[in-house]
Amino acid sequence: YNAGFDGIAFGEDRMYLSGNFTNTTDSVETIEVDGYKIVGLGSNWGTQTTFTLTYDSRTGKIIECERFNVNNFTQYEGSQSLLVGVDGSVYQLVMTSFTFFIYLDIELYTGQSNVLIKYTRDGKVDKIVNFFKDNYSFITEMKMTSIGDLILYGECQYGLGFNGVETINTHLPYATVLMALDEGDLSLKWYDYMASELNSNGLSMRIRGMS
């Protein structure tokens, strides 16, 4: 029920495919992709399982499947971006709203924010960053530079947290943020922002405190 794909990326000899599906009953449900069974993680109505499949592009066979549970499927907006880095690592940016995003024993309350997932070349989860602080964030763009930095662009309110730790603080409530993350540990390398007192066009716009 309500199953589909929302991202695809290609490595040197790998293909990565992300998607999601929802449960409609109180039992865990299963879908199949190319005969490969993906068992849902939720057991209550209203849960959603999001997954990333890793294919060996030489043989076409699935070699890995990582799954996450989202406890409120109406608030899951899917992958914003899926890309392969210069060293073969894979990066997925997803958007969730007022829900829990769960991987194994890691439970992240996302508020209305993004989650960035780093996978190994063979599709295993390596690192997870939750950008939730106290208010919303909506990171819409993710690119990779030639030297391996992740460039992210989007909106936030009062700043951004990295796994609950305040990392970016804006001096006015509403801001657009441009930032670079280290490809290896996903730490913040630099950022800049444009902030406003009001969430509207053209009013009280300031850059770094200058009118």
Side-chain angles (χ1 to χ4, degrees):
Y1 169 74
N2 197 26
F5 301 115
D6 56 18
I8 191 169
F10 297 90
E12 182 178 353
D13 56 1
R14 297 285 186 268
M15 183 182 80
Y16 307 92
L17 191 65
S18 62
N20 61 85
F21 61 97
T22 59
N23 291 5
T24 58
T25 67
D26 289 334
S27 62
V28 175
E29 295 185 1
T30 302
I31 65 168
E32 289 191 14
V33 179
D34 294 342
Y36 185 97
K37 292 185 177 181
I38 304 175
V39 180
L41 294 174
S43 59
N44 298 317
W45 186 91
T47 61
Q48 184 156 3
T49 298
T50 176
F51 59 88
T52 295
L53 291 166
T54 300
Y55 289 77
D56 184 326
S57 56
R58 296 165 300 186
T59 65
K61 294 187 178 300
I62 296 170
I63 60 175
E64 187 58 76
C65 176
E66 288 281 32
R67 297 166 300 155
F68 302 84
N69 187 45
V70 182
N71 75 320
N72 189 343
F73 75 84
T74 61
Q75 302 296 327
Y76 177 71
E77 300 180 30
S79 295
Q80 301 293 113
S81 183
L82 185 69
L83 57 83
V84 179
V86 295
D87 67 349
S89 299
V90 185
Y91 302 87
Q92 182 185 22
L93 183 69
V94 300
M95 182 71 190
T96 64
S97 302
F98 305 109
T99 187
F100 283 94
F101 192 82
I102 303 161
Y103 174 69
L104 300 178
D105 58 346
I106 302 171
E107 186 174 279
L108 302 173
Y109 177 68
T110 61
Q112 187 175 357
S113 67
N114 299 85
V115 176
L116 175 62
I117 308 158
K118 178 183 178 182
Y119 302 88
T120 67
R121 173 181 172 275
D122 290 328
K124 294 294 293 181
V125 170
D126 184 15
K127 290 181 172 60
I128 300 174
V129 173
N130 175 19
F131 290 113
F132 179 69
K133 185 185 138 185
D134 298 315
N135 297 286
Y136 78 84
S137 71
F138 187 40
I139 309 301
T140 56
E141 298 286 340
M142 181 172 66
K143 304 293 183 182
M144 177 70 67
T145 70
S146 59
I147 61 172
D149 290 343
L150 276 173
I151 305 296
L152 290 91
Y153 171 80
E155 303 172 9
C156 68
Q157 189 175 17
Y158 293 105
L160 285 172
F162 280 34
N163 291 336
V165 178
E166 183 178 278
T167 308
I168 295 176
N169 182 270
T170 60
H171 69 292
L172 291 172
Y174 302 98
T176 58
V177 175
L178 180 69
M179 57 183 166
L181 306 186
D182 183 90
E183 180 189 24
D185 61 7
L186 302 184
S187 62
L188 181 67
K189 298 187 72 172
W190 58 260
Y191 73 92
D192 207 345
Y193 70 92
M194 180 182 292
S196 173
E197 292 175 351
L198 298 176
N199 191 16
S200 60
N201 294 325
L203 297 178
S204 303
M205 186 58 68
R206 292 172 170 82
I207 302 175
R208 286 288 176 90
M210 298 178 65
S211 297

